Structures are given as C-alpha cells and as structure tokens.
Amino acid sequence: MQEVAEQTYAGQRAERAGLFTLLLLIESLHYVFARLLAPYVPPVAASMYVLAVGTVQVGIFAAARGKLGWRPAARHFWFFAAIGFCIAVSTLLNYVAVIYVDVGTASMLGKTGVVISLLLSVLWLRERLTFRQAIGAGLAVIGAATISFHPGDVAQFGSLLILLSTFLYSLHTALVKRYGQEMDFVECFFHRLLFTTTFLFVFAAWGQQLVWPDGRAWLLLLLVGTVDVVISRTLYYVTLRLFRMSIHTIILTLSPLVSIGVSLLLFGTFPSGQELLGGLFVLAGVALVTRGR
C-alpha cells in the first residue's frame, strides 16, 4: 500500500510540474505574440480579434455547460463594464508598447503588476503592508524607474505604456477581488471577455483600424486567441488551486527569462544592461513581496 501511495504521490508531483512548466512557457509568450502580430494587423484590431477568438471559444464552452445567458451581464453591468474597459485598454497598450520596447524588457516590467496589486490592496481593500513587502515594493519601483529612464528615447514611451497597462490590469484584479468573488467562474469569464472585446471593437472603429486580416494573419490570430486567452487563463486558475499563491507568483516571475530567450531566437533582440539591471530589481522586489504575503 505504501508503495502504491508513493507512486501516486510521485505521479501527482510530475503532473503538477508538467502543468506549471506549460503555464510558465505560455505566460512568457504574451508579449511575444503581440510582437508577432504587429507586422500583420494594427494593434487595436489585433487585440480585438485575439479577444474575440477567446470570447467565441469560451462562449461555446459556456453554452455546452448551460451557462450562456444575458442575466449576469444585466445584473452586473457596471462591474463587467469596468473590468472590460480596464482589460481592453491594458491589452491595447501592450500591443502598442512592443513596437517601441523589446519583448524581454516588456515582460520584466510587466511583473510590477504584483507590486501594484499589493499597493491597491493596501490603499483600497485595507490590507496591511509588512516590512518585507515594503522593501520589495521599493525594489520593484527602483527597477521600474531604471528600466523606464531613457530620456528622449522611444523605449521610455514603450516602458510607460507597459506600466500603465500593468496598473489597469491590476485595477481589474482588485475589482474582481472586491466585487466578483461569488460569481460563477465560467459566466464571469465569458462576460469579462465579451465586454473587453466590445470595448476593443469601439476603439478600433473610432481609430479607423477595423481592417480584415488576410489568411496568414487569421491563422496567427486563432493561435494567439486560443493559447494566450483560453489555454493561458485556464492553466493559470488550475495551477493556482494546486499551489499556494506565494509559490505560484514566485515561479511565474521566471517567465521574463523565457520571454528574453524566445525574443532573442525570434527577433534577435535582447535587453540592454540598464534594462537587465532594472529587471533584476523588479523580480527581486516581486519575490520579496510574494514571500511577505
């Protein structure tokens, strides 16, 4: 019996390790995908089509589960409108930012979201900040400033877009934490995607970027929507249930390393010494903040 139990435990560990390895790889591809789409589709249209693909796929799944209805959207309209707007602008800014800053730097800077979420939880949700968390937040701020400080350089503009995007995504997380905890996950996820896609459609129409992609672009859009929206978020929440949140977040701080490697292979780009130094500060700060939680 003990041997069987040990084999079962080993199998569970291997399964968890496999899931997390897959999540780490997929999480690292967000900015890579945005950069790959840049030559084919304008940023607003690209982000809209990617979210639309995810919305359709999750909608089909929700319909199969009998959870596709209009009542949640009507009952929680302002909640979904708020988080949809935050995610739409955040996604759009990411797709624009990778035109100005390399993928590896964007990925490192994006990890400041952990610290921004912490500060929002302290200021808004009235959670307490420990000394270790304060040190970690300070390190991350220093790192973000180091990465972003490029006077007169387009890299500074791209870095600022990433920081604003990260803030908006963290704000959406705080809104979900405050008002969306009791909602059914499938219903909440579908309407989150639907409202986000709707906002992106409005942005694309307003910016006159409603272009129809060609066949090659559509193949890439279908791939990105499936992997970066549906599979990515599913793996994220599955692994979050298997690991403590602190361990979950610390392991995901490795994703910029994968992003840098993939970016070097695909685009031949690599962060500068200044950006790498700033990124180390950010990742060290995130690790401290997470351990403090």
Side-chain angles (χ1 to χ4, degrees):
M1 290 294 292
Q2 182 178 357
E3 183 178 350
V4 173
E6 289 177 352
Q7 290 177 349
T8 302
Y9 179 67
Q12 290 175 342
R13 288 187 62 183
E15 181 181 358
R16 292 182 180 189
L19 283 173
F20 222 118
T21 301
L22 184 58
L23 172 65
L24 186 62
L25 175 61
I26 291 177
E27 280 282 310
S28 69
L29 295 178
H30 174 69
Y31 296 104
V32 174
F33 282 140
R35 183 66 183 83
L36 282 173
L37 284 167
Y40 298 100
V41 191
V44 186
S47 55
M48 180 195 69
Y49 285 125
V50 166
L51 267 295
V53 168
T55 302
V56 171
Q57 292 178 350
V58 174
I60 293 172
F61 178 78
R65 298 286 298 273
K67 295 182 177 181
L68 186 63
W70 57 269
R71 294 184 184 278
R75 191 181 306 118
H76 306 287
F77 177 82
W78 292 111
F79 167 75
F80 285 118
I83 64 172
F85 178 80
C86 288
I87 299 171
V89 178
S90 173
T91 306
L92 173 58
L93 291 176
N94 284 339
Y95 276 63
V96 174
V98 294
I99 299 174
Y100 302 99
V101 65
D102 71 86
V103 168
T105 301
S107 183
M108 290 187 292
L109 203 52
K111 289 303 171 185
T112 56
V114 175
V115 176
I116 295 172
S117 295
L118 170 68
L119 296 178
L120 284 172
S121 69
V122 171
L123 297 174
W124 187 23
L125 304 180
R126 303 302 180 187
E127 297 181 6
R128 298 185 63 181
L129 184 68
T130 67
F131 177 74
R132 180 182 292 173
Q133 289 172 330
I135 296 296
L139 284 175
V141 170
I142 291 172
T146 302
I147 292 173
S148 304
F149 187 69
H150 295 273
D153 194 336
V154 292
Q156 184 180 31
F157 177 66
S159 297
L160 294 176
L161 291 181
I162 294 292
L163 287 174
L164 179 56
S165 166
T166 304
F167 169 76
L168 287 170
Y169 198 85
S170 299
L171 179 59
H172 128 267
T173 304
L175 287 169
V176 173
K177 181 74 174 177
R178 184 75 178 265
Y179 302 111
Q181 287 287 86
E182 304 304 321
M183 295 184 190
D184 178 82
F185 171 71
V186 175
E187 291 180 345
C188 184
F189 190 30
F190 170 72
H191 288 97
R192 165 188 182 271
L193 291 174
L194 180 63
F195 275 72
T196 302
T197 303
T198 302
F199 275 112
L200 287 169
F201 175 81
V202 173
F203 297 158
W206 183 50
Q208 298 182 342
Q209 291 194 19
L210 279 177
V211 298
W212 188 256
D214 60 23
R216 182 182 299 180
W218 264 119
L219 289 175
L220 191 54
L221 287 166
L222 289 170
L223 171 67
V224 176
T226 302
V227 174
D228 197 36
V229 177
V230 180
I231 296 177
S232 171
R233 293 306 88 191
T234 301
L235 278 172
Y236 180 90
Y237 288 112
V238 167
T239 53
L240 188 58
R241 292 185 179 188
L242 296 176
F243 292 85
R244 294 197 306 272
M245 186 173 178
S246 58
I247 300 299
H248 191 267
T249 307
I250 287 175
I251 293 177
L252 285 182
T253 58
L254 297 174
S255 63
L257 303 179
V258 183
S259 298
I260 291 172
V262 174
S263 176
L264 184 61
L265 288 174
L266 292 180
F267 313 118
T269 59
F270 194 81
S272 67
Q274 176 182 334
E275 290 162 344
L276 284 175
L277 178 62
L280 288 175
F281 275 109
V282 168
L283 299 184
V286 168
L288 275 177
V289 164
T290 307
R291 286 173 63 89
R293 299 172 76 174

